[in-house]
Amino acid sequence: MRHGIHPVSRPVLFRDRAAGFELLVPSTAAAQHTLQWKDGNTYPVVDVEISSASHPFYTGTSRVVDTAGRVQRFERRYASTTRAGR
């Protein structure tokens, strides 16, 4: 591997403020702020808008589409026009 061309990987704290979730992982992401974490060390912090703690796919709060209700509404709305055309 050539030296000096790869970004430096270091522990970075990713913080989801909406969910109160923090995750410490190795990353090359640039951070402007630092924060003291649970282990007593200070790490660079990157604030993210969505994480696995707040995303609907992972939390199970995604809305369910009512396809049966939509089909029934469509049939009720256009039933009179399809019968008259026959």
Side-chain angles (χ1 to χ4, degrees), residues 11-86:
V12 176
L13 184 63
F14 287 90
R15 179 173 57 177
D16 182 358
R17 289 184 172 208
F21 179 71
E22 297 173 340
L23 182 65
L24 182 65
V25 295
S27 177
T28 60
Q32 298 173 357
H33 303 288
T34 59
L35 184 70
Q36 186 174 3
W37 205 47
K38 300 171 189 174
D39 63 359
N41 294 328
T42 302
Y43 297 105
V45 176
V46 175
D47 289 322
V48 294
E49 295 180 19
I50 295 178
S51 68
S52 61
S54 62
H55 193 278
F57 179 79
Y58 296 106
T59 60
T61 59
S62 61
R63 62 185 181 124
V64 177
V65 178
D66 180 23
T67 56
R70 289 182 179 187
V71 171
Q72 291 170 351
R73 258 185 299 167
F74 177 81
E75 288 176 349
R76 270 195 316 246
R77 184 177 296 157
Y78 296 106
S80 62
T81 58
T82 56
R83 288 182 189 156
R86 289 184 184 174

